[in-house]
C-alpha cells in the first residue's frame, strides 16, 4: 500500500512503522521479480520508435512477465561473458527497452555503469577505465547516428574491455527500411582491436534461460548495483556508488509518497543514463506495477514528441510524467485540442528551478499541479517532493522523504557548527538509506560527508545552500558547489576552467551559469590574461571547443576582463560574475517585450533567497502594468515574484 503525503505530519506518520517492517526487496532484480509474480500480464514497457502523427501508435509491448524474463536473460548473458559481482557493464544507449534490460541485468550479474552518449569519446574512455569496464553495450551502426563510429574508434583504449554488445535499433523498423539500415551497417568501421568480441545483443541474449539466474548469486542490499558519473572535472571521473539497498529504498519511498499503484502508466522522456529516468521512474514504476511508455530513443528531443505530446498522453492514458522546466514551457505552446488528458494526475519537475508563472499557466491549462522536487546522484536520486494531496509551494522543493533526515546546517571549513533555525540559510545535509557509500575513487570522498556528533552516523554534504521554512518545506537558495545546470545536466565549472587555464595567455578563468529560457543555464566564462599577453574572445572560444571534453560545457561566450573580481582572501568572487549575467539577460529579455519603454535590472545577493533581481520597468503610454508583469514572469523564468 502507498500513502500520498499532504503534510509534514503525514511524513512523520509513515515513519511510525519501522522501515524494516516494510519488507523491501533486497535488490533491484527482486523488485521486478515480485511485480512479475503479482501482476504478470500488466504492461511494463511500451516503446514506440517515432512520435510523428500516427507513428506513436506503432509500438512494442512487454508485460511484467516478459520484462522479468528479458532481464533474467540479460543477466545470464553478462554472466556468460564473464561478468562477476565486481565487474562493470557500461552502456552507451538512448532510451530503449534494452536500456532497462541492461540496467537491471547488469545489476544482477555485476555493476551497471550508464554513460551519457553526448559526452566526448575521450571522456567515455576515462569513465570506462575508471569503472574497469568488462562489457560495453551500445547501438549497432545506424545512418542517423555516429555513436557506433565513435565507439569503434576508442574501444581499444579500454584495456579491460572484452566484449561489445550491439543493440540493433533497425529491428524496430519494418520491411525495406530495416533491410536498408542493415546493408548500410556493413560499411561501418570495425573495432581497432582483435581482442574485443562484437556480438548482437538480442541474438546473444536469446541463447540464455529466462527462468533463473545461472550464477545463483544471492544479491545483498549492500552490494554495489551501479556507478553513476557525476559533475566531475577533467582527470579521474567521479563515479558515485549506488548499492542495491540505496536504489530500492529511494524508488520505494518516491512511489510511496505519491500513491503509486499497479495499472497506472508513466511517460519516460528523460534520458536513462540519468538517475531520474533509471530510478525515480524506472525502478519505482516497476516496483508499483506501473507501466512505462518510452517515447522514442531521443526522449523529449525526439521528432514530433512535443508537438504530439497531448495526443500521446491521451492515447496511452498516461497518469504521470517527469520533466524539466524548459519542457513545460514548450508544452504551453502546444494546444491540447480534443486530446483527453483527464487521466493525468501528476507532473513532476526537477533539475532546475520552476518558474512560478510557468507553473501557474501549466496548472491553468491542464488542471494538474507541477510538483517540484530535489535530489542528487549522491543521495541515489530524489530526497524531497512537494505534496501531491496538500498545498505545493511553487519555488520550494517540498518536504523531505520519510525515513530520510534532511536539515540545513552552519558549516565552517566543512565542519559542523550547528543546525540552522527555521528560514535561516545553511548547507543542506542529508542522512538516510538513500545516501550513497561514497565515490569509487576515495580521493573524491574528501569533504563529501559531515559528522554532527550525535553518534547516529555521518551526513551527506550536498554542497547546496537552502533553508527550511516553519511549515517544513525546503527552499534552495544557491549552490555552494557552483555547478552549472544545463537542461538538467550538472556540469562542474572546473570542466571548463581547467582547460582554459592551459591556454598560454590565460592567468585566471572562471565559469558560471547564464540564465537561459530554454535549458535553465548556459555556461559562460570569464578570463583574465597574463601581463603582456593578448587573446580574443573568438580565439579563446575556438580553444575551448578543442579542449573541453563535453560539448554541452563549451561556453556560449568568453569575456576578457582586466581583472576578475576576488574576495578579501584572494578567491574568485563568482557571485559578482553571476549577477552580471542575470542583469545582462534580464535587461535584454525585458527590452524585447512590447510595451516596455525602458528597463533597469539590479541583481544583488540576499542571505535568505540567494540572489534577488529588482526589475525597474517604465511602460509605454497606455500599457497596463499587470499585463507586463505576466509577460515578464514568463520571459525571465521567475521562481518567485514580489511586485511593488
Amino acid at each position: 500500500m502507498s500513502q500520498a503525503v499532504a503534510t509534514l505530519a503525514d511524513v512523520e506518520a509513515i515513519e511510525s512503522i519501522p522501515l524494516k517492517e516494510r519488507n523491501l526487496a533486497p535488490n533491484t532484480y527482486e523488485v521486478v521479480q515480485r511485480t512479475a509474480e503479482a501482476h504478470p500480464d500488466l504492461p511494463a514497457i511500451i516503446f514506440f520508435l517515432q512520435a510523428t502523427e500516427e507513428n506513436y501508435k506503432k509500438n512494442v509491448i512487454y508485460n511484467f512477465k516478459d520484462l522479468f524474463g528479458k532481464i533474467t536473460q540479460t543477466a545470464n548473458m553478462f554472466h556468460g561473458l564473464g561478468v562477476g559481482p565486481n565487474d562493470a557493464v557500461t552502456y552507451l544507449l538512448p532510451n530503449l527497452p534494452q536500456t532497462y534490460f541492461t540496467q537491471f541485468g547488469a545489476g544482477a550479474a555485476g555493476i551497471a555503469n550508464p554513460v551519457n552518449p553526448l559526452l566526448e569519446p575521450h571522456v567515455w574512455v576515462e569513465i570506462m577505465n575508471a569503472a574497469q569496464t568488462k562489457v560495453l553495450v551500445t547501438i549497432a551502426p545506424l545512418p542517423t547516428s555516429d555513436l557506433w563510429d565513435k565507439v569503434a574508434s576508442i574501444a581499444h583504449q579500454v584495456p579491460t574491455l572484452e566484449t561489445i554488445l550491439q543493440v540493433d535499433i533497425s529491428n524496430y523498423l519494418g520491411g525495406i527500411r530495416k533491410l536498408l539500415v542493415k546493408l548500410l551497417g556493413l560499411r561501418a568501421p570495425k573495432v581497432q582491436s582483435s581482442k574485443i568480441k562484437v556480438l548482437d545483443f538480442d541474438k546473444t541474449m536469446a541463447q540464455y534461460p529466462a527462468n533463473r539466474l545461472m550464477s545463483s548469486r544471492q544479491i545483498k542490499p549492500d552490494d554495489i548495483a551501479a556507478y553513476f558519473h557525476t559533475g566531475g572535472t577533467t582527470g579521474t571521473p567521479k563515479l558515485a556508488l549506488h548499492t542495491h539497498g540505496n536504489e530500492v529504498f529511494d524508488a520505494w519511498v518516491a512511489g510511496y509518497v505519491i500513491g503509486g499503484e499497479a495499472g497506472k502508466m508513466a511517460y519516460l522522456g528523460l534520458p536513462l543514463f540519468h538517475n531520474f529516468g533509471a530510478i525515480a521512474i524506472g525502478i519505482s514504476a516497476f516496483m508499483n506495477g506501473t507501466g512505462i511508455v518510452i517515447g522514442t530513443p531521443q526522449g523529449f528531443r525526439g521528432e514530433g514528441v512535443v508537438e504530439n505530446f497531448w495526443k500521446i498522453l491521451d492515447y496511452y492514458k498516461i497518469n504521470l510524467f517527469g520533466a524539466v522546466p524548459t519542457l513545460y514551457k514548450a508544452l504551453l505552446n502546444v494546444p491540447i485540442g480534443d486530446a483527453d488528458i483527464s487521466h493525468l494526475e501528476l507532473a513532476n519537475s526537477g533539475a532546475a528551478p520552476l518558474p512560478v508563472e510557468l507553473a501557474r499557466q501549466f496548472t491553468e491549462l491542464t488542471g494538474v499541479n507541477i510538483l517540484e522536487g530535489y535530489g542528487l546522484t549522491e543521495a541515489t536520486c530524489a530526497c524531497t517532493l512537494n505534496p501531491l494531496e496538500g498545498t505545493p509551494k511553487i519555488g520550494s522543493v517540498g518536504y523531505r522523504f520519510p525515513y530520510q533526515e534532511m536539515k540545513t546546517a552552519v558549516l565552517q571549513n566543512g565542519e559542523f557548527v550547528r543546525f540552522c533555525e527555521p528560514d535561516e540559510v545553511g548547507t543542506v545535509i542529508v542522512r538516510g538509506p538513500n545516501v550513497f557509500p561514497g565515490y569509487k575513487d576515495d580521493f573524491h570522498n574528501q569533504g563529501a560527508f559531515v559528522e554532527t556528533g550525535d553518534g547516529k552516523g555521518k551526513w551527506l554534504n550536498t554542497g547546496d545552500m537552502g533553508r527550511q521554512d516553519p511549515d517544513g518545506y525546503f527552499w534552495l537558495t544557491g549552490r555552494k558547489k557552483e555547478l552549472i545546470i544545463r537542461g538538467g545536466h550538472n556540469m562542474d565549472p572546473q570542466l571548463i576552467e581547467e582547460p582554459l587555464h592551459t591556454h598560454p595567455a590565460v592567468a585566471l578563468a572562471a565559469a558560471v551559469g547564464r540564465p537561459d529560457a530554454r535549458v535553465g543555464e548556459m555556461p559562460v566564462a570569464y578570463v583574465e590574461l597574463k601581463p603582456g599577453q593578448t587573446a580574443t574572445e573568438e580565439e579563446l572560444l575556438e580553444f575551448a571547443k578543442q579542449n573541453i571534453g563535453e560539448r554541452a560545457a563549451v561556453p556560449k561566450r568568453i569575456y576578457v576582463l582586466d581583472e576578475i573580481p576576488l574576495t578579501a582572501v584572494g578567491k574568485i568572487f563568482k557571485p559578482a560574475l553571476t549577477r552580471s549575467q542575470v542583469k545582462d539577460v534580464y535587461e535584454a529579455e525585458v527590452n524585447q517585450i512590447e510595451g516596455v519603454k525602458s528597463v533597469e535590472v539590479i541583481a544583488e545577493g540576499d542571505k535568505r533567497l540567494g540572489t534577488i533581481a529588482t526589475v525597474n520597468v517604465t511602460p509605454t503610454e497606455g500599457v497596463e502594468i499587470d499585463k507586463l508583469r505576466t509577460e515578464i514572469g514568463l520571459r525571465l523564468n521567475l521562481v518567485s515574484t514580489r511586485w511593488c
Side-chain angles (χ1 to χ4, degrees):
M1 289 293 292
S2 297
Q3 177 179 325
V5 167
T7 67
L8 185 58
D10 292 333
V11 173
E12 295 166 347
I14 292 170
E15 295 170 328
S16 65
I17 299 175
L19 182 59
K20 63 183 179 182
E21 296 182 16
R22 295 293 184 177
N23 189 32
L24 301 188
N27 55 70
T28 59
Y29 178 75
E30 190 169 319
V31 163
V32 185
Q33 182 179 24
R34 289 185 182 185
T35 305
E37 291 171 353
H39 308 287
D41 298 323
L42 284 180
I45 292 177
I46 300 176
F47 171 70
F48 58 85
L49 186 65
Q50 297 172 310
T52 50
E53 192 71 34
E54 299 305 318
N55 281 327
Y56 60 78
K57 298 179 182 179
K58 301 174 183 177
N59 56 48
V60 176
I61 302 175
Y62 300 87
N63 62 29
F64 277 102
K65 181 181 178 181
D66 299 330
L67 173 62
F68 182 61
K70 294 294 185 183
I71 288 171
T72 301
Q73 287 182 293
T74 303
N76 288 332
M77 174 175 62
F78 293 145
H79 174 71
L81 293 172
V83 173
N86 298 315
D87 294 320
V89 176
T90 294
Y91 48 103
L92 285 158
L93 290 171
N95 288 2
L96 298 166
Q98 287 88 344
T99 312
Y100 275 130
F101 303 162
T102 300
Q103 175 191 340
F104 285 86
I111 299 169
N113 182 42
V115 176
N116 181 356
L118 298 179
L119 297 175
E120 293 299 324
H122 73 85
V123 181
W124 297 343
V125 172
E126 292 172 1
I127 294 173
M128 285 194 282
N129 281 330
Q132 296 182 299
T133 299
K134 181 169 281 191
V135 173
L136 170 63
V137 184
T138 190
I139 63 171
L142 197 65
T144 55
S145 170
D146 63 354
L147 183 56
W148 170 254
D149 292 9
K150 292 178 178 179
V151 167
S153 71
I154 56 89
H156 66 284
Q157 298 177 39
V158 184
T160 57
L161 182 60
E162 298 176 1
T163 307
I164 298 176
L165 292 162
Q166 294 179 330
V167 177
D168 192 347
I169 296 180
S170 72
N171 289 333
Y172 291 106
L173 296 170
I176 191 66
R177 295 173 65 200
K178 179 178 179 178
L179 178 62
L180 181 61
V181 170
K182 288 187 178 295
L183 289 174
L184 291 173
L186 297 176
R187 304 178 184 176
K190 306 297 182 183
V191 173
Q192 300 174 27
S193 172
S194 60
K195 297 179 181 179
I196 300 175
K197 295 179 293 185
V198 180
L199 304 173
D200 182 279
F201 182 97
D202 292 301
K203 291 179 180 178
T204 307
M205 178 184 67
Q207 301 170 17
Y208 290 87
N211 60 349
R212 60 185 174 86
L213 284 181
M214 295 173 62
S215 67
S216 300
R217 180 185 177 193
Q218 300 299 309
I219 310 168
K220 300 175 182 178
D222 289 339
D223 288 349
I224 302 301
Y227 301 142
F228 277 84
H229 60 88
T230 178
T233 65
T234 53
T236 307
K238 292 174 70 174
L239 296 182
L241 309 179
H242 283 181
T243 68
H244 280 271
N246 288 153
E247 294 193 345
V248 170
F249 168 78
D250 205 57
W252 170 79
V253 76
Y256 195 88
V257 300
I258 63 170
E261 61 185 75
K264 291 189 176 182
M265 297 302 298
Y267 184 85
L268 173 73
L270 296 172
L272 281 176
F273 61 78
H274 191 272
N275 57 64
F276 190 90
I279 299 168
I281 295 179
I283 301 176
S284 184
F286 296 152
M287 182 182 292
N288 289 294
T290 296
I292 296 174
V293 175
I294 303 177
T296 80
Q298 299 81 24
F300 286 126
R301 297 174 181 267
E303 182 185 357
V305 170
V306 172
E307 294 85 345
N308 293 304
F309 192 70
W310 304 122
K311 296 177 184 178
I312 293 169
L313 295 195
D314 179 1
Y315 186 76
Y316 290 104
K317 309 305 178 191
I318 299 297
N319 303 107
L320 60 139
F321 73 95
V324 294
T326 49
L327 188 277
Y328 288 110
K329 186 171 184 178
L331 290 177
L332 289 180
N333 297 318
V334 180
I336 294 178
D338 58 1
D340 178 6
I341 62 168
S342 60
H343 290 82
L344 187 62
E345 302 170 4
L346 169 64
N348 172 251
S349 179
L354 178 65
V356 60
E357 182 64 21
L358 174 59
R360 185 192 68 77
Q361 292 200 16
F362 183 86
T363 300
E364 185 178 89
L365 178 69
T366 64
V368 175
N369 288 326
I370 302 176
L371 302 186
E372 192 171 7
Y374 165 73
L376 64 164
T377 304
E378 292 82 353
T380 305
C381 179
C383 299
T384 72
L385 189 67
N386 266 272
L388 177 65
E389 300 294 339
T391 304
K393 292 188 179 182
I394 300 171
S396 84
V397 294
Y399 297 129
R400 66 173 178 86
F401 279 166
Y403 302 105
Q404 172 220 254
E405 296 175 90
M406 183 165 164
K407 294 180 179 290
T408 54
V410 175
L411 305 181
Q412 284 186 359
N413 300 319
E415 299 293 327
F416 176 78
V417 177
R418 62 176 175 82
F419 291 116
C420 294
E421 299 294 327
D423 271 339
E424 180 185 7
V425 171
T427 301
V428 178
I429 59 176
V430 180
R431 180 168 66 181
N434 55 333
V435 173
F436 80 146
Y439 298 104
K440 190 173 189 298
D441 188 329
D442 191 56
F443 170 79
H444 295 128
N445 291 319
Q446 299 175 33
F449 298 98
V450 174
E451 290 284 357
T452 60
D454 64 0
K456 297 180 181 179
K458 59 189 179 182
W459 297 69
L460 171 67
N461 178 359
T462 69
D464 292 315
M465 305 300 290
R467 61 185 175 88
Q468 186 178 22
D469 71 20
D471 296 324
Y473 290 77
F474 282 88
W475 302 75
L476 300 184
T477 59
R479 294 186 299 277
K480 194 172 183 180
K481 292 179 184 175
E482 298 170 339
L483 294 179
I484 299 167
I485 302 182
R486 177 178 179 174
H489 177 54
N490 294 355
M491 294 182 288
D492 192 317
Q494 291 187 28
L495 185 68
I496 302 165
E497 294 163 354
E498 289 187 11
L500 286 176
H501 278 130
T502 66
H503 190 284
V506 173
L508 285 177
V512 298
R514 176 183 175 88
D516 184 87
R518 186 176 62 87
V519 296
E521 288 183 320
M522 291 287 286
V524 297
Y526 292 83
V527 300
E528 180 180 323
L529 302 180
K530 296 175 182 176
Q533 296 289 327
T534 59
T536 64
E537 176 181 341
E538 291 73 21
E539 176 189 342
L540 292 169
L541 281 171
E542 184 59 33
F543 182 84
K545 291 175 184 176
Q546 298 299 321
N547 290 275
I548 292 174
E550 184 174 341
R551 279 176 289 177
V554 174
K556 185 176 182 180
R557 281 200 61 183
I558 297 179
Y559 301 82
V560 180
L561 301 183
D562 292 336
E563 291 184 350
I564 287 181
L566 304 176
T567 66
V569 294
K571 294 183 179 180
I572 294 175
F573 187 57
K574 286 191 176 180
L577 303 177
T578 301
R579 291 167 198 161
S580 175
Q581 289 297 317
V582 171
K583 174 181 172 63
D584 184 47
V585 171
Y586 281 18
E587 287 184 345
E589 287 291 331
V590 175
N591 268 319
Q592 295 180 43
I593 299 174
E594 185 177 351
V596 171
K597 183 178 181 180
S598 65
V599 60
E600 179 190 22
V601 175
I602 302 171
E604 301 173 295
D606 182 88
K607 290 183 179 180
R608 193 170 71 91
L609 299 175
T611 298
I612 288 181
T614 302
V615 182
N616 298 312
V617 175
T618 302
T620 55
E621 187 175 351
V623 174
E624 296 180 5
I625 192 66
D626 287 342
K627 180 181 178 182
L628 283 183
R629 286 172 175 171
T630 298
E631 184 63 24
I632 289 170
L634 279 175
R635 281 270 187 173
L636 303 187
N637 275 7
L638 299 181
V639 175
S640 60
T641 57
R642 183 179 61 200
W643 302 113
C644 302

